[in-house]
Amino acid sequence: MARVTVEDCLEHVSDQFALVHLAASRYRQLHRGASRLVDNKNKDIVCALREIASQKVRFREDVAQAVLKVSTKPGSASADADTSVVLTEAL
């Protein structure tokens, strides 16, 4: 893969909003010293996008279902407290 594009990543993520959150979360992990799942010498953000495009990193559960769960919880004012959407390595 010579260049990673947003379109490459969107094939595996539901929408651009989810892509931004997934890439940002993975970037933070890489920046803190997590091991890379794809072999490259790019900056951490590019590595995060390459990992998403190669399906090495994904959300644990479907984003739409997680949002629906949060929005239907009685008394939940914010999705920030919900940790049901986290990163996981693809098997």
Side-chain angles (χ1 to χ4, degrees):
M1 183 182 327
R3 290 184 180 237
V4 63
T5 65
V6 172
E7 288 79 19
D8 296 332
C9 298
L10 286 174
E11 293 174 7
H12 311 292
V13 180
S14 60
D15 58 28
Q16 291 177 350
F17 184 75
L19 175 59
V20 167
H21 284 280
L22 184 60
S25 295
R26 184 60 183 152
Y27 163 79
R28 284 190 292 275
Q29 288 180 347
L30 291 169
H31 189 70
R32 291 181 186 135
S35 61
R36 293 174 179 234
L37 302 176
V38 294
D39 187 34
N40 68 62
K41 295 180 181 178
N42 296 312
K43 293 185 177 184
D44 290 340
I45 188 61
V46 176
C47 182
L49 291 172
R50 286 187 185 280
E51 292 176 350
I52 294 167
S54 64
Q55 297 182 338
K56 301 282 185 179
V57 174
R58 61 182 171 83
F59 284 110
R60 183 173 294 161
E61 64 182 306
D62 182 54
V63 175
Q65 290 176 356
V67 170
L68 184 61
K69 280 186 207 176
V70 171
S71 65
T72 58
K73 283 184 183 176
S76 84
S78 171
D80 291 337
D82 188 27
T83 58
S84 61
V85 179
V86 295
L87 295 172
T88 182
E89 293 181 21
L91 297 177

